[in-house]
Amino acid sequence: MGEALIGRLEAAVSRLEALSAGAHPSIAPRGLSDDASAKDPAILAFDDLVAGALGRVSMAAGKIGAEVVEVTRLVEKAFLVGKDLLIRTKQTQKPTMESMATFLGPLNETILEANALAEGTRSSHANHLKASAGSLAALAWIGYTGKGCGMPLPMAHVEESWQTAEFYSNKVLVEYKNKEPDHVEWAKALKELYVPNLRDYIKRFYPLGPVWQSPGNATNKAPSAPSPPASLAISSASSSQPKSGMSAVFAEIGSGKPVTQGLRKVTDDMKSKNRTDRTGVVTAEGKETRNAPSFGSTRGPAKFELQMGRKWVVENHIGNKSLIIEDCDTKQSVYAYGCKDSVLQIKGKVNNITIDKCTKVGVLFKGVVAACEIVNCNSVEVQCEGSVPTISIDNTSGCQLYLSEESLQTSITTAKSSEINALVPDASSDGDWAEHSLPQQYIHAFKDGQFTTSPVSHSGA
């Protein structure tokens, strides 16, 4: 069995080397000999990462087949691009903000290719595709150039990028647990490729980002940004599939704009207190309008704004998988209304979260001071990574709650709701989730002068 495993690893490495030789001739390292890169401890360790952690993902994908093999090959391709970029940093001056898009162009192209596969393919493996495509944003850590570049430190960037992908990989774990172990192995291997393997690799060799050549000794100067190529000049208006994650950032920096502009941050002129067309006060008429059907012709414009410095409003987004609230605090609340087929990430701890009249929406948040409320929703998924004292679910059909170890003490209240499932870490299995259905049927019995209520229990296999 050991020889068979070694044989598979060697085959995976051979396939990766073939990709490296033929996929991206334009990113071959300039001015750095093969002997120099072969002796670089950081590059040798990266090869070990590819052969070991990524080889494990490739082997699991091979057992599953179908589109999972195709998207895993794109992950392999992206890591090889990342290796070539790391080699080039040794002989390249630190790029400017404008030229960074050109430097990262090959990586951006691979991310766009994975996104196109994930968003444009109707497949029973849709969660595999989205998890893989979402994970590739982690490799953008190579573009870190220091404070002010619009990115957190490389290790933090990898961890934050994985959170988006984990939303979908958790679905794979839940769907195939106790059914098809190859899918479970693939999901676990994909996670471990990034956390802890890539994160620990960066911690060891590049904790403060890539090592660029000093200006006086640089063999190559980072190319200035020309007019963006077609792959980088794609606008949201010309595509029915919205770009998500760092691919959206790359599309923006390809136009010469600051790297942080691709993220959904709120500027001063977007805040209600500085806008002349509204006061930030919700009128009674506004509340009545919200009683209209969620997805009818009365749908209002999409909103993503901070009102009066206290309330984040996310309204009427359809098919937007990259809604991100980063700059938030415990004095602010979040209100999501009328969204469909979208994913909202809340990077910090807030006071309160309300999800109202949303369909097929995923919400991932760090923690809540007061409560998370889910009202009038259909088929939503909510994941808490920190603590949340109370979760309230009202008039909702279909809700998946993913609770972390810190949030297991939460109090869950349900009313007029069905198909509510809570998933908690499985103590008997590393990385798996244990699913618990919350009762929706009750028996009310009159006894000793009062009614007693108990959930209906179903017996059987």
Side-chain angles (χ1 to χ4, degrees):
M1 181 175 180
E3 295 179 354
L5 178 59
I6 294 174
R8 288 179 179 176
L9 284 173
E10 291 176 344
V13 173
S14 297
R15 185 168 68 253
L16 294 179
E17 291 174 343
L19 273 171
S20 179
H24 285 281
S26 63
I27 61 170
R30 306 169 188 171
L32 187 66
S33 68
D34 291 339
D35 290 340
S37 62
K39 296 176 182 178
D40 189 335
I43 300 304
L44 292 174
F46 196 89
D47 288 338
D48 292 340
L49 172 68
V50 169
L54 183 52
R56 179 185 167 196
V57 181
S58 300
M59 284 191 289
K63 296 177 183 179
I64 299 172
E67 300 91 350
V68 181
V69 171
E70 186 176 357
V71 77
T72 302
R73 284 174 179 167
L74 289 176
V75 176
E76 297 170 351
K77 181 178 176 182
F79 268 79
L80 288 171
V81 172
K83 173 187 173 181
D84 288 336
L85 292 177
L86 284 175
I87 293 175
R88 284 179 57 185
T89 63
K90 305 284 186 178
Q91 293 291 317
T92 305
Q93 291 185 29
K94 182 185 294 185
T96 63
M97 194 72 73
E98 291 74 20
S99 61
M100 180 60 77
T102 303
F103 183 81
L104 294 177
L107 179 59
N108 179 47
E109 291 174 5
T110 307
I111 291 176
L112 292 177
E113 190 177 352
N115 282 343
L117 178 63
E119 298 293 341
T121 304
R122 290 186 174 272
S123 168
S124 58
H125 303 114
N127 290 323
H128 300 70
L129 302 182
K130 292 178 180 178
S132 298
S135 72
L136 296 184
L139 293 174
W141 73 269
I142 299 172
Y144 181 83
T145 56
K147 292 182 180 179
C149 72
M151 293 173 58
L153 284 166
M155 285 187 294
H157 173 76
V158 169
E159 292 176 338
E160 290 180 9
S161 299
W162 171 250
Q163 290 172 6
T164 301
E166 189 172 30
F167 184 81
Y168 296 105
S169 69
N170 283 343
K171 291 185 177 182
V172 176
L173 291 173
V174 171
E175 181 179 358
Y176 292 98
K177 181 184 179 182
N178 300 325
K179 294 180 182 179
E180 298 184 44
D182 292 337
H183 293 264
V184 175
E185 167 64 13
W186 180 88
K188 290 182 176 180
L190 184 68
K191 177 178 181 178
E192 292 177 11
L193 170 62
Y194 294 97
V195 181
N197 284 289
L198 180 59
R199 180 198 63 197
D200 291 351
Y201 168 82
I202 295 171
K203 180 179 180 180
R204 180 181 176 188
F205 294 101
Y206 303 103
L208 300 179
V211 179
W212 303 92
Q213 183 61 274
S214 60
N217 301 323
T219 304
N220 295 287
K221 197 170 185 178
S224 59
S227 299
S231 61
L232 291 175
I234 300 173
S235 67
S236 58
S238 63
S239 173
S240 60
Q241 297 295 341
K243 300 299 181 291
S244 61
M246 284 301 296
S247 61
V249 178
F250 290 147
E252 286 295 320
I253 63 177
S255 64
K257 299 176 182 178
V259 67
T260 54
Q261 189 165 328
L263 299 176
R264 290 183 170 269
K265 291 181 179 289
V266 177
T267 58
D268 288 339
D269 62 315
M270 295 171 62
K271 299 178 181 179
S272 294
K273 64 180 181 180
N274 297 327
R275 290 175 58 178
T276 58
D277 59 331
R278 64 185 296 146
T279 63
V281 178
V282 179
T283 63
E285 290 78 5
K287 292 183 178 180
E288 292 175 359
T289 301
R290 290 183 177 174
N291 291 329
S294 299
F295 304 108
S297 59
T298 58
R299 171 182 291 278
K303 296 180 183 178
F304 191 98
E305 61 187 19
L306 178 62
Q307 295 182 352
M308 304 300 290
R310 290 300 183 98
K311 181 178 181 181
W312 288 91
V313 175
V314 184
E315 293 186 359
N316 302 320
H317 286 270
I318 300 179
N320 193 338
K321 305 296 174 62
S322 57
L323 295 165
I324 303 175
I325 297 176
E326 287 193 307
D327 188 12
C328 53
D329 57 49
T330 55
K331 295 181 180 180
Q332 297 172 345
S333 63
V334 177
Y335 181 73
Y337 172 82
C339 297
K340 184 177 182 181
D341 293 325
S342 298
V343 176
L344 170 64
Q345 296 183 65
I346 305 168
K347 296 289 189 178
K349 191 172 186 178
V350 295
N351 184 270
N352 184 77
I353 298 174
T354 301
I355 308 165
D356 187 5
K357 289 190 178 179
C358 293
T359 299
K360 295 182 179 179
V361 166
V363 177
L364 175 67
F365 63 92
K366 284 286 187 182
V368 168
V369 175
C372 175
E373 301 172 275
I374 305 163
V375 187
N376 305 321
C377 292
N378 292 290
S379 302
V380 295
E381 299 191 5
V382 178
Q383 181 171 351
C384 176
E385 296 181 316
S387 61
V388 50
T390 303
I391 298 176
S392 174
I393 306 172
D394 188 12
N395 196 30
T396 292
S397 176
C399 178
Q400 295 272 93
L401 298 174
Y402 292 86
L403 303 177
S404 65
E405 291 283 356
E406 295 180 55
S407 58
L408 293 182
Q409 301 302 316
T410 185
S411 172
I412 303 175
T413 303
T414 64
K416 297 185 290 184
S417 299
S418 60
E419 301 176 44
I420 311 299
N421 296 310
L423 295 96
V424 301
D426 191 344
S428 61
S429 178
D430 182 29
D432 284 343
W433 294 85
E435 185 173 6
H436 302 270
S437 298
L438 303 188
Q440 64 187 63
Q441 294 179 311
Y442 300 89
I443 297 175
H444 308 280
F446 189 76
K447 185 178 181 180
D448 298 330
Q450 61 182 0
F451 276 98
T452 59
T453 301
S454 59
V456 173
S457 59
H458 299 278
S459 59

